[in-house]
Amino acid sequence: MIKANNITKVFGESTVLQQITTTIKQGEVVTIIGPSGSGKSTFLRCLNLLEDPTEGQIFLHDQEITLPKTNKLVIRKNIGMVFQHFHLFPHMTVLDNVSYAPQKVKGVSKQEAEKTAKQLLTKVGLTDKEDTYPNRLSGGQKQRVAIARALAMEPSIMLFDEPTSALDPEMVKEVLDVIKDLAQTGMTMVIVTHEMNFAKEVADRVLFLDNGRLVEEAEPTRFFEQPTSERARDFLDKVL
Amino acid sequence: MNLDFSQIVPYIPFILEGIWATLKFVSVSILMGFILGTLLSLCKITKTPLLKWLADAYTSIFRGTPLILQLMIIYYAVPQLTGYDISAFLSAVLAFGLNSAAYISEIIRGGILAVDKGQTEAAEALGVPYKPMMLNIILPQAFKNILPAMMNEFITLTKESALVSTIGYLDIMRRAQVVGSDLYRNFEPLLFAGLIYWVIVYILTSVGRLVERRLRQSD
């Protein structure tokens, strides 16, 4: 469970997030949608402290993690993150990419880490790519490796920051399918996305952000069929 | 034209011994410059103002004064100050090592900053601590990018190493001078020394290209 309480983020002169409060329950899949620059990604990045909120608190399993004494590295072990641009380690093979962090961070043996990595690569459908370097992979394959890499740490929550935005259209599905499978396993997930159909299909709840504010929060069928706010109606008219 | 290369033939082994003398201190200097330079570059990118200031001051001093002056200070002035009779070899290693550390630290700093910021974020998001992140993820990528600049620095250092002839260290250059004054002919031994330097640099360049090609294999 992760809870954000009155999160405000200011970069220099501009206020990117304004007093966002929401709770993501264990096993819940939440998608965050909204126009570009609405603060979706910043909010997501606040959840694993890649950005420090200017004001407000974040609680992970009822423990506040926004205290100054918090060891961010310990927190992040529990929160997996998948980036828009994958950020795979280009000088490591696919297998090393996935098995590196468990060894360095959790002290898992090389043998054990590689065994888990191979299982995860099978799960994302990349069994035959173990010894390949990332630059030989397609965008969709890279993103699936990135998902496996995050899962290798056995996180209790997964964050996805526009996981399909940098992909060619024909590769979007293979990545979304992996995420959907993951949703079915009961993983707690927060997904920033522009794929409306996917957001509707996979989510238990949709958050709509605009201009740094949480404008609307509802379960997907209600949100997509009867949005209550003017801004959300306007947005959906344009994208659907 | 008064040229007679046959006269330097008996001196060739003497001059060639200088190759070892030169390579010995150049390689130790490079190693020292590389390690110290890496540490300095890490100081330059930290958020600790004191470390940053110290590293910048270091670079400013060693880049801002002539290398020959640094060499002279270490060889002639240090004994005056401490009473320790420093050898020409140690002076040479210190002067060249400390000096090249300043240049190398700038090269590496640039290399680190050129690594995509997403790499740091990905490592941080996985909970990887600073030290393994730098050693296993950031520096390997930085080194790959800066290899050409690094080779350039090594080549410069190898050639500039001839400066140690001024403190009596018997390197290639010094030996050529000794032969010159023995024979009262300077052109032939100096030309021969020049040829040796050129060959060494040529070999270094080829090795650099080879390493670069190796590292590019993951591209």
Side-chain angles (χ1 to χ4, degrees):
Chain A
M1 189 198 76
I2 194 160
K3 192 167 124 191
N5 186 24
N6 271 318
I7 295 300
T8 295
K9 177 70 187 177
V10 180
F11 286 117
E13 299 276 287
S14 62
T15 305
V16 192
L17 294 175
Q18 293 185 61
Q19 297 179 323
I20 296 193
T21 299
T22 191
T23 303
I24 292 130
K25 294 193 286 284
Q26 198 65 44
E28 193 178 24
V29 177
V30 172
T31 54
I32 306 180
I33 61 175
S36 299
S38 58
K40 308 180 296 287
S41 291
T42 307
F43 177 64
L44 194 75
R45 292 161 59 86
C46 281
L47 294 179
N48 70 346
L49 305 175
L50 275 184
E51 303 288 352
D52 289 310
T54 314
E55 277 166 44
Q57 300 89 35
I58 291 167
F59 298 86
L60 179 66
H61 307 310
D62 287 327
Q63 181 202 353
E64 183 177 350
I65 60 171
T66 29
L67 299 168
K69 67 174 168 98
T70 306
N71 184 344
K72 292 180 183 174
L73 294 177
V74 175
I75 301 304
R76 291 186 191 131
K77 276 199 278 188
N78 271 311
I79 308 179
M81 180 143 189
V82 173
F83 299 89
Q84 181 180 357
H85 295 286
F86 333 122
H87 300 326
L88 293 179
F89 305 132
H91 59 302
M92 293 184 188
T93 62
V94 164
L95 189 67
D96 289 341
N97 261 282
V98 181
S99 63
Y100 172 78
Q103 292 177 66
K104 286 290 163 181
V105 181
K106 292 167 78 178
V108 176
S109 72
K110 188 177 164 73
Q111 209 184 2
E112 189 69 21
E114 287 186 350
K115 201 179 118 197
T116 317
K118 283 176 187 175
Q119 286 166 356
L120 286 167
L121 287 172
T122 309
K123 202 165 144 185
V124 298
L126 290 170
T127 325
D128 52 336
K129 300 289 182 194
E130 279 171 24
D131 300 320
T132 312
Y133 284 96
N135 59 355
R136 304 260 162 183
L137 300 177
S138 71
Q141 291 171 328
K142 282 183 194 169
Q143 195 59 297
R144 285 185 280 150
V145 174
I147 294 171
R149 179 175 70 174
L151 290 174
M153 290 296 290
E154 299 175 322
S156 58
I157 296 172
M158 284 284 284
L159 309 178
F160 293 85
D161 189 3
E162 301 193 24
T164 58
S165 296
L167 299 179
D168 289 340
E170 73 263 37
M171 288 164 188
V172 170
K173 191 174 172 295
E174 64 188 56
V175 172
L176 293 184
D177 285 346
V178 169
I179 301 176
K180 276 183 219 163
D181 282 348
L182 199 57
Q184 251 132 44
T185 64
M187 172 69 79
T188 311
M189 307 207 280
V190 186
I191 308 165
V192 172
T193 185
H194 289 295
E195 302 286 334
M196 294 305 144
N197 287 327
F198 167 72
K200 193 171 170 179
E201 191 181 339
V202 78
D204 297 314
R205 187 154 50 100
V206 177
L207 306 187
F208 176 71
L209 261 65
D210 182 50
N211 229 337
R213 290 177 188 280
L214 177 54
V215 178
E216 197 163 338
E217 179 172 18
E219 54 100 13
T221 31
R222 229 218 47 219
F223 175 80
F224 284 100
E225 273 147 39
Q226 304 161 292
T228 50
S229 66
E230 182 70 31
R231 190 63 191 92
R233 270 200 295 276
D234 192 38
F235 175 78
L236 289 175
D237 273 349
K238 281 177 188 148
V239 298
L240 289 180
Chain B
M1 266 242 280
N2 177 14
L3 270 182
D4 182 4
F5 283 95
S6 67
Q7 290 205 39
I8 66 159
V9 171
Y11 293 95
I12 285 179
F14 174 71
I15 298 180
L16 288 181
E17 270 173 55
I19 297 178
W20 168 236
T22 293
L23 288 183
K24 195 167 65 171
F25 98 83
V26 165
S27 50
V28 178
S29 303
I30 285 177
L31 193 69
M32 179 173 160
F34 185 70
I35 295 171
L36 190 60
T38 307
L39 292 175
L40 282 169
S41 68
L42 291 176
C43 290
K44 286 177 182 174
I45 57 161
T46 55
K47 287 178 186 122
T48 321
L50 180 68
L51 284 178
K52 203 183 276 184
W53 186 86
L54 284 173
D56 283 341
Y58 179 97
T59 307
S60 172
I61 290 167
F62 278 91
R63 280 205 309 192
T65 56
L67 176 54
I68 191 164
L69 178 103
Q70 294 160 20
L71 185 66
M72 294 286 163
I73 286 181
I74 293 172
Y75 187 62
Y76 294 115
V78 165
Q80 177 198 332
L81 213 64
T82 62
Y84 173 68
D85 189 15
I86 193 166
S87 71
F89 175 76
L90 189 58
S91 308
V93 165
L94 280 177
F96 280 80
L98 295 175
N99 184 275
S100 77
Y103 286 91
I104 290 178
S105 71
E106 277 301 293
I107 298 175
I108 298 179
R109 186 182 68 95
I112 292 174
L113 293 181
V115 174
D116 180 12
K117 204 168 155 284
Q119 293 290 307
T120 312
E121 286 191 350
E124 282 178 350
L126 286 163
V128 179
Y130 183 79
K131 206 172 142 195
M133 173 179 87
M134 274 298 164
L135 280 177
N136 307 138
I137 295 168
I138 307 300
L139 286 177
Q141 295 184 56
F143 285 142
K144 192 166 121 182
N145 294 335
I146 61 178
L147 200 75
M150 216 58 147
M151 281 317 294
N152 211 16
E153 170 63 19
F154 294 162
I155 287 168
T156 308
L157 193 100
T158 307
K159 289 185 300 176
E160 297 287 299
S161 76
L163 279 179
V164 296
S165 59
T166 59
I167 60 167
Y169 185 74
L170 277 172
D171 70 329
I172 301 166
M173 183 69 190
R174 181 74 192 148
R175 282 165 196 258
Q177 288 173 333
V178 169
V179 173
S181 51
D182 222 33
L183 288 174
Y184 298 107
R185 314 179 65 93
N186 280 305
F187 193 83
E188 294 87 345
L190 287 178
L191 196 68
F192 185 58
L195 179 71
I196 298 175
Y197 281 113
W198 180 80
V199 170
I200 294 176
V201 169
Y202 185 81
I203 293 171
L204 258 179
T205 313
S206 310
V207 170
R209 291 228 178 91
L210 205 76
V211 176
E212 211 174 318
R213 214 174 308 145
R214 264 292 154 72
L215 286 177
R216 299 250 170 251
Q217 264 169 8
S218 66
D219 286 355

PDB file of all heavy atoms in Angstrom, chain B residues 14-29:
ATOM      1  N   PHE B  14      72.996   1.999 -26.247  1.00  0.00           N
ATOM      2  CA  PHE B  14      72.887   2.964 -25.146  1.00  0.00           C
ATOM      3  C   PHE B  14      71.599   3.789 -25.260  1.00  0.00           C
ATOM      4  O   PHE B  14      70.869   3.988 -24.281  1.00  0.00           O
ATOM      5  CB  PHE B  14      74.118   3.885 -25.165  1.00  0.00           C
ATOM      6  CG  PHE B  14      74.061   5.010 -24.164  1.00  0.00           C
ATOM      7  CD1 PHE B  14      74.189   4.759 -22.801  1.00  0.00           C
ATOM      8  CD2 PHE B  14      73.863   6.321 -24.586  1.00  0.00           C
ATOM      9  CE1 PHE B  14      74.136   5.798 -21.885  1.00  0.00           C
ATOM     10  CE2 PHE B  14      73.798   7.360 -23.668  1.00  0.00           C
ATOM     11  CZ  PHE B  14      73.938   7.096 -22.312  1.00  0.00           C
ATOM     12  N   ILE B  15      71.300   4.232 -26.462  1.00  0.00           N
ATOM     13  CA  ILE B  15      70.083   5.028 -26.649  1.00  0.00           C
ATOM     14  C   ILE B  15      68.838   4.158 -26.459  1.00  0.00           C
ATOM     15  O   ILE B  15      67.860   4.563 -25.826  1.00  0.00           O
ATOM     16  CB  ILE B  15      70.059   5.699 -28.043  1.00  0.00           C
ATOM     17  CG1 ILE B  15      71.231   6.671 -28.180  1.00  0.00           C
ATOM     18  CG2 ILE B  15      68.732   6.442 -28.265  1.00  0.00           C
ATOM     19  CD1 ILE B  15      71.311   7.386 -29.515  1.00  0.00           C
ATOM     20  N   LEU B  16      68.909   2.927 -27.002  1.00  0.00           N
ATOM     21  CA  LEU B  16      67.743   2.046 -26.895  1.00  0.00           C
ATOM     22  C   LEU B  16      67.386   1.720 -25.445  1.00  0.00           C
ATOM     23  O   LEU B  16      66.211   1.528 -25.112  1.00  0.00           O
ATOM     24  CB  LEU B  16      67.980   0.750 -27.683  1.00  0.00           C
ATOM     25  CG  LEU B  16      67.953   0.882 -29.208  1.00  0.00           C
ATOM     26  CD1 LEU B  16      68.180  -0.466 -29.862  1.00  0.00           C
ATOM     27  CD2 LEU B  16      66.639   1.487 -29.699  1.00  0.00           C
ATOM     28  N   GLU B  17      68.400   1.676 -24.590  1.00  0.00           N
ATOM     29  CA  GLU B  17      68.111   1.435 -23.170  1.00  0.00           C
ATOM     30  C   GLU B  17      67.196   2.519 -22.608  1.00  0.00           C
ATOM     31  O   GLU B  17      66.481   2.302 -21.625  1.00  0.00           O
ATOM     32  CB  GLU B  17      69.411   1.403 -22.354  1.00  0.00           C
ATOM     33  CG  GLU B  17      70.033   0.026 -22.248  1.00  0.00           C
ATOM     34  CD  GLU B  17      71.399   0.095 -21.578  1.00  0.00           C
ATOM     35  OE1 GLU B  17      71.474   0.631 -20.449  1.00  0.00           O
ATOM     36  OE2 GLU B  17      72.382  -0.353 -22.199  1.00  0.00           O
ATOM     37  N   GLY B  18      67.260   3.672 -23.230  1.00  0.00           N
ATOM     38  CA  GLY B  18      66.400   4.780 -22.797  1.00  0.00           C
ATOM     39  C   GLY B  18      64.918   4.475 -22.978  1.00  0.00           C
ATOM     40  O   GLY B  18      64.069   5.028 -22.271  1.00  0.00           O
ATOM     41  N   ILE B  19      64.616   3.588 -23.925  1.00  0.00           N
ATOM     42  CA  ILE B  19      63.206   3.236 -24.150  1.00  0.00           C
ATOM     43  C   ILE B  19      62.597   2.675 -22.870  1.00  0.00           C
ATOM     44  O   ILE B  19      61.532   3.094 -22.425  1.00  0.00           O
ATOM     45  CB  ILE B  19      63.063   2.191 -25.283  1.00  0.00           C
ATOM     46  CG1 ILE B  19      63.563   2.774 -26.597  1.00  0.00           C
ATOM     47  CG2 ILE B  19      61.604   1.759 -25.427  1.00  0.00           C
ATOM     48  CD1 ILE B  19      63.505   1.814 -27.766  1.00  0.00           C
ATOM     49  N   TRP B  20      63.330   1.742 -22.276  1.00  0.00           N
ATOM     50  CA  TRP B  20      62.859   1.134 -21.041  1.00  0.00           C
ATOM     51  C   TRP B  20      62.729   2.187 -19.940  1.00  0.00           C
ATOM     52  O   TRP B  20      61.730   2.259 -19.229  1.00  0.00           O
ATOM     53  CB  TRP B  20      63.807   0.002 -20.634  1.00  0.00           C
ATOM     54  CG  TRP B  20      63.593  -0.521 -19.241  1.00  0.00           C
ATOM     55  CD1 TRP B  20      64.507  -0.604 -18.249  1.00  0.00           C
ATOM     56  CD2 TRP B  20      62.376  -1.035 -18.672  1.00  0.00           C
ATOM     57  NE1 TRP B  20      63.961  -1.114 -17.108  1.00  0.00           N
ATOM     58  CE2 TRP B  20      62.645  -1.378 -17.344  1.00  0.00           C
ATOM     59  CE3 TRP B  20      61.081  -1.204 -19.166  1.00  0.00           C
ATOM     60  CZ2 TRP B  20      61.683  -1.902 -16.485  1.00  0.00           C
ATOM     61  CZ3 TRP B  20      60.110  -1.723 -18.307  1.00  0.00           C
ATOM     62  CH2 TRP B  20      60.411  -2.069 -16.999  1.00  0.00           C
ATOM     63  N   ALA B  21      63.771   3.062 -19.848  1.00  0.00           N
ATOM     64  CA  ALA B  21      63.760   4.111 -18.823  1.00  0.00           C
ATOM     65  C   ALA B  21      62.537   5.018 -19.002  1.00  0.00           C
ATOM     66  O   ALA B  21      61.849   5.362 -18.031  1.00  0.00           O
ATOM     67  CB  ALA B  21      65.042   4.923 -18.889  1.00  0.00           C
ATOM     68  N   THR B  22      62.269   5.378 -20.239  1.00  0.00           N
ATOM     69  CA  THR B  22      61.118   6.241 -20.521  1.00  0.00           C
ATOM     70  C   THR B  22      59.805   5.526 -20.219  1.00  0.00           C
ATOM     71  O   THR B  22      58.960   6.031 -19.480  1.00  0.00           O
ATOM     72  CB  THR B  22      61.131   6.694 -21.998  1.00  0.00           C
ATOM     73  OG1 THR B  22      62.251   7.556 -22.188  1.00  0.00           O
ATOM     74  CG2 THR B  22      59.855   7.441 -22.357  1.00  0.00           C
ATOM     75  N   LEU B  23      59.665   4.313 -20.782  1.00  0.00           N
ATOM     76  CA  LEU B  23      58.402   3.586 -20.609  1.00  0.00           C
ATOM     77  C   LEU B  23      58.105   3.301 -19.143  1.00  0.00           C
ATOM     78  O   LEU B  23      56.950   3.328 -18.718  1.00  0.00           O
ATOM     79  CB  LEU B  23      58.431   2.278 -21.403  1.00  0.00           C
ATOM     80  CG  LEU B  23      58.349   2.420 -22.917  1.00  0.00           C
ATOM     81  CD1 LEU B  23      58.317   1.047 -23.572  1.00  0.00           C
ATOM     82  CD2 LEU B  23      57.112   3.229 -23.322  1.00  0.00           C
ATOM     83  N   LYS B  24      59.193   3.039 -18.382  1.00  0.00           N
ATOM     84  CA  LYS B  24      59.020   2.691 -16.977  1.00  0.00           C
ATOM     85  C   LYS B  24      58.320   3.831 -16.234  1.00  0.00           C
ATOM     86  O   LYS B  24      57.295   3.621 -15.582  1.00  0.00           O
ATOM     87  CB  LYS B  24      60.382   2.400 -16.349  1.00  0.00           C
ATOM     88  CG  LYS B  24      60.304   1.700 -15.010  1.00  0.00           C
ATOM     89  CD  LYS B  24      61.669   1.151 -14.591  1.00  0.00           C
ATOM     90  CE  LYS B  24      62.662   2.276 -14.346  1.00  0.00           C
ATOM     91  NZ  LYS B  24      63.927   1.807 -13.741  1.00  0.00           N
ATOM     92  N   PHE B  25      58.861   5.044 -16.383  1.00  0.00           N
ATOM     93  CA  PHE B  25      58.248   6.105 -15.588  1.00  0.00           C
ATOM     94  C   PHE B  25      56.954   6.626 -16.225  1.00  0.00           C
ATOM     95  O   PHE B  25      56.044   7.057 -15.522  1.00  0.00           O
ATOM     96  CB  PHE B  25      59.265   7.219 -15.273  1.00  0.00           C
ATOM     97  CG  PHE B  25      59.205   8.418 -16.159  1.00  0.00           C
ATOM     98  CD1 PHE B  25      58.282   9.431 -15.898  1.00  0.00           C
ATOM     99  CD2 PHE B  25      60.050   8.550 -17.245  1.00  0.00           C
ATOM    100  CE1 PHE B  25      58.233  10.538 -16.709  1.00  0.00           C
ATOM    101  CE2 PHE B  25      59.988   9.654 -18.049  1.00  0.00           C
ATOM    102  CZ  PHE B  25      59.071  10.650 -17.785  1.00  0.00           C
ATOM    103  N   VAL B  26      56.867   6.535 -17.548  1.00  0.00           N
ATOM    104  CA  VAL B  26      55.626   6.977 -18.191  1.00  0.00           C
ATOM    105  C   VAL B  26      54.456   6.076 -17.768  1.00  0.00           C
ATOM    106  O   VAL B  26      53.374   6.562 -17.425  1.00  0.00           O
ATOM    107  CB  VAL B  26      55.759   6.998 -19.732  1.00  0.00           C
ATOM    108  CG1 VAL B  26      54.401   7.084 -20.403  1.00  0.00           C
ATOM    109  CG2 VAL B  26      56.616   8.176 -20.159  1.00  0.00           C
ATOM    110  N   SER B  27      54.691   4.750 -17.737  1.00  0.00           N
ATOM    111  CA  SER B  27      53.579   3.868 -17.393  1.00  0.00           C
ATOM    112  C   SER B  27      53.170   4.034 -15.933  1.00  0.00           C
ATOM    113  O   SER B  27      51.972   4.021 -15.618  1.00  0.00           O
ATOM    114  CB  SER B  27      53.903   2.409 -17.717  1.00  0.00           C
ATOM    115  OG  SER B  27      55.149   2.067 -17.176  1.00  0.00           O
ATOM    116  N   VAL B  28      54.153   4.217 -15.051  1.00  0.00           N
ATOM    117  CA  VAL B  28      53.786   4.445 -13.649  1.00  0.00           C
ATOM    118  C   VAL B  28      53.025   5.771 -13.516  1.00  0.00           C
ATOM    119  O   VAL B  28      52.032   5.865 -12.797  1.00  0.00           O
ATOM    120  CB  VAL B  28      55.035   4.446 -12.732  1.00  0.00           C
ATOM    121  CG1 VAL B  28      54.631   4.731 -11.291  1.00  0.00           C
ATOM    122  CG2 VAL B  28      55.746   3.111 -12.802  1.00  0.00           C
ATOM    123  N   SER B  29      53.480   6.785 -14.251  1.00  0.00           N
ATOM    124  CA  SER B  29      52.806   8.098 -14.206  1.00  0.00           C
ATOM    125  C   SER B  29      51.373   8.001 -14.711  1.00  0.00           C
ATOM    126  O   SER B  29      50.454   8.586 -14.140  1.00  0.00           O
ATOM    127  CB  SER B  29      53.544   9.126 -15.064  1.00  0.00           C
ATOM    128  OG  SER B  29      54.861   9.244 -14.656  1.00  0.00           O
TER     129      SER B  29
END
